[in-house]
Structure formats: structure tokens, C-alpha cells
């Protein structure tokens, strides 16, 4: 009996090692990344059935599991998507993308309480997550709390302004590198994310004029 108790932890340890080894093989395998890239391209083109089928054999690569769940959802297989996302989160509780998409599915199912719990956890980790802020605002509106819904959207607007500054910074670098057309595109995106009457918007418009004149 004593020998059996010694063997059980050893067997458990071996199982854990094998599980970790399998996970590492998928994550570090070039074929896995190529397959994921092809499935991502199919997903982006709206070929959701094909994308989901391509990823069926991957069991531990979190980005692939989340992508497959999203593809399943858009194929009308919401229950499968939900189950896959839950399994993914048991493996990797820190996957924000899996949490966010699961919360969206739960909201559609009318499970607002669980969806709200997930959204609050996401915002605790990242208070400026625009997608989580929008989701939380929608859930607040559903329960009639318009004041909280508005406050959450105000936070989302502030977070959008930070994103706009990233576009402005990249536009400057692209302009310095001589890529005026890409710089203009970044400035247009930044302009859309900012309130129209801010001083930064006026600065963006002035910079757009300078770049456009230089390209003539």
C-alpha cells in the first residue's frame, strides 16, 4: 500500500509533464502558426466553417481555440462556442479575448449577471479596455442604470483618445520616414477618435495639410 501511494504522485507528475510538453509543442510548432495564420485569413474573409474546421485538431494553443470559438459562433453554433471558450478559460484564465467573447455570448443568452461579472473582471485588469467598457455599458443600460452606462461610455471615450495619440505618434514616424500616404491615413483615424473641437484635432488637421501639400 505504501508503494502505491508513492507511485500515485509520480504518475500525476508524469501526466502534468506530458500535458505541458504537449502544450509547448503546439505553441512552438511552426506548422501550428502557419495553420493559425491560414485559419485567421479564412475567418477575416467570412469563411467561418472553413476556419473552424482547420483548427479542430489544435487542443492547447489559446489563440487558435479562441479563433475557432468565434468562427463556431458565426456559424450559428453558439453552444459549441460557449463550451470551447469555457474550456479555454479553465486552461488559461488570463485570456482576455476568450473572456470578452464569452461575455458577449452570455449577454445574448440573457445571462446578464454572469456577463457583468466577466466584464467587471476584465475592467479590473485593464480599466481602459474599450470593448469591455462598451459591453459593461450595454449591460448597465439593460438593467436600467443609464447613469452608470453613460459613465462607462465616458471612460471609453477617454480611452479612445489615448488610442488616437498612438496613431498620431505613428503618423509622425511614418512622415519622417517618407511615407506620407500612411501618415495621412493614421491622422484620419486619429481624427475620428477625438472630439471635433479639441486643440489636438486642430493640430492634426494642420499636420494633414502640411503632408498633403508636400505630396503634391
Amino acid at each position: 500500500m505504501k508503494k502505491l501511494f508513492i507511485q500515485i504522485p509520480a504518475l500525476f507528475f508524469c501526466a502534468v509533464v506530458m500535458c505541458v510538453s504537449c502544450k509547448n509543442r503546439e505553441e512552438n510548432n511552426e506548422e501550428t502558426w502557419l495553420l493559425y495564420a491560414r485559419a485567421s485569413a479564412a475567418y477575416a474573409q467570412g469563411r467561418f466553417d472553413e476556419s473552424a474546421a482547420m483548427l479542430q485538431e489544435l487542443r492547447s494553443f489559446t489563440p487558435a481555440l479562441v479563433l475557432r470559438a468565434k468562427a463556431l459562433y458565426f456559424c450559428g453554433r453558439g453552444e459549441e462556442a460557449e463550451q470551447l471558450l469555457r474550456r479555454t478559460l479553465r486552461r488559461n484564465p488570463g485570456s482576455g479575448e476568450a473572456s470578452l467573447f464569452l461575455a458577449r455570448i452570455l449577454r445574448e443568452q440573457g445571462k446578464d449577471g454572469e456577463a457583468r461579472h466577466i466584464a467587471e473582471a476584465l475592467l479590473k485588469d485593464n480599466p481602459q479596455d474599450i470593448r469591455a467598457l462598451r459591453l459593461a455599458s450595454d449591460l448597465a443600460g439593460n438593467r436600467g442604470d443609464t447613469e452608470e452606462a453613460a459613465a462607462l461610455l465616458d471612460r471609453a471615450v477617454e480611452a479612445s483618445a489615448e488610442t488616437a495619440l498612438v496613431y498620431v505618434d505613428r503618423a509622425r514616424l511614418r512622415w519622417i520616414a517618407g511615407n506620407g500616404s500612411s501618415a495621412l491615413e493614421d491622422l484620419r483615424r486619429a481624427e475620428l477618435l477625438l472630439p471635433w473641437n479639441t486643440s489636438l484635432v486642430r493640430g492634426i488637421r494642420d499636420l494633414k495639410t502640411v503632408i498633403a501639400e508636400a505630396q503634391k
Side-chain angles (χ1 to χ4, degrees):
M1 182 64 70
K2 183 177 180 180
K3 183 177 180 181
L4 177 61
F5 280 116
I6 293 173
Q7 288 176 340
I8 289 175
L11 291 171
F12 176 76
F13 175 76
C14 290
V16 171
V17 170
M18 289 177 66
C19 180
V20 172
S21 177
C22 179
K23 180 179 179 181
N24 288 339
R25 280 201 301 271
E26 277 198 356
E27 291 182 350
N28 298 323
N29 191 321
E30 183 178 353
E31 292 182 4
T32 296
W33 284 96
L34 290 173
L35 180 61
Y36 175 70
R38 290 197 296 269
S40 296
Y43 178 89
Q45 294 169 13
R47 305 197 315 269
F48 302 121
D49 283 314
E50 182 181 343
S51 179
M54 291 170 69
L55 299 170
Q56 189 170 0
E57 299 303 318
L58 297 182
R59 303 294 182 186
S60 60
F61 184 45
T62 298
L65 296 174
V66 175
L67 180 62
R68 183 165 189 266
K70 292 164 72 171
L72 287 171
Y73 170 79
F74 288 116
C75 290
R77 298 157 66 182
E79 289 186 5
E80 291 180 62
E82 179 188 349
Q83 292 170 7
L84 180 55
L85 288 169
R86 290 189 186 278
R87 289 201 303 270
T88 301
L89 287 167
R90 283 196 292 269
R91 285 175 171 269
N92 183 5
S95 175
E97 186 72 12
S99 295
L100 182 66
F101 210 79
L102 176 59
R104 287 174 173 171
I105 291 175
L106 293 170
R107 179 191 58 182
E108 290 187 8
Q109 294 175 344
K111 301 175 183 176
D112 284 12
E114 189 177 358
R116 180 185 180 186
H117 176 75
I118 294 173
E120 289 175 348
L122 286 169
L123 290 173
K124 184 177 180 181
D125 290 337
N126 181 8
Q128 290 187 313
D129 187 329
I130 294 174
R131 296 179 301 170
L133 285 166
R134 290 182 61 240
L135 175 62
S137 174
D138 185 53
L139 291 167
N142 284 349
R143 63 178 182 271
D145 193 341
T146 55
E147 186 175 341
E148 182 178 352
L152 288 163
L153 288 180
D154 287 342
R155 287 171 56 187
V157 169
E158 292 174 6
S160 297
E162 290 294 324
T163 303
L165 294 176
V166 175
Y167 280 117
V168 172
D169 290 342
R170 191 170 72 173
R172 290 197 185 100
L173 288 176
R174 286 178 163 177
W175 170 237
I176 292 170
N179 190 349
S181 58
S182 293
L184 284 173
E185 181 59 32
D186 275 345
L187 291 174
R188 291 188 193 100
R189 292 175 179 174
E191 196 173 8
L192 290 172
L193 291 169
L194 290 167
W196 67 272
N197 60 344
T198 63
S199 58
L200 182 56
V201 168
R202 292 191 289 274
I204 288 173
R205 289 173 181 167
D206 290 343
L207 184 56
K208 282 172 61 180
T209 301
V210 170
I211 295 174
E213 289 293 328
Q215 288 187 307
K216 289 181 180 180

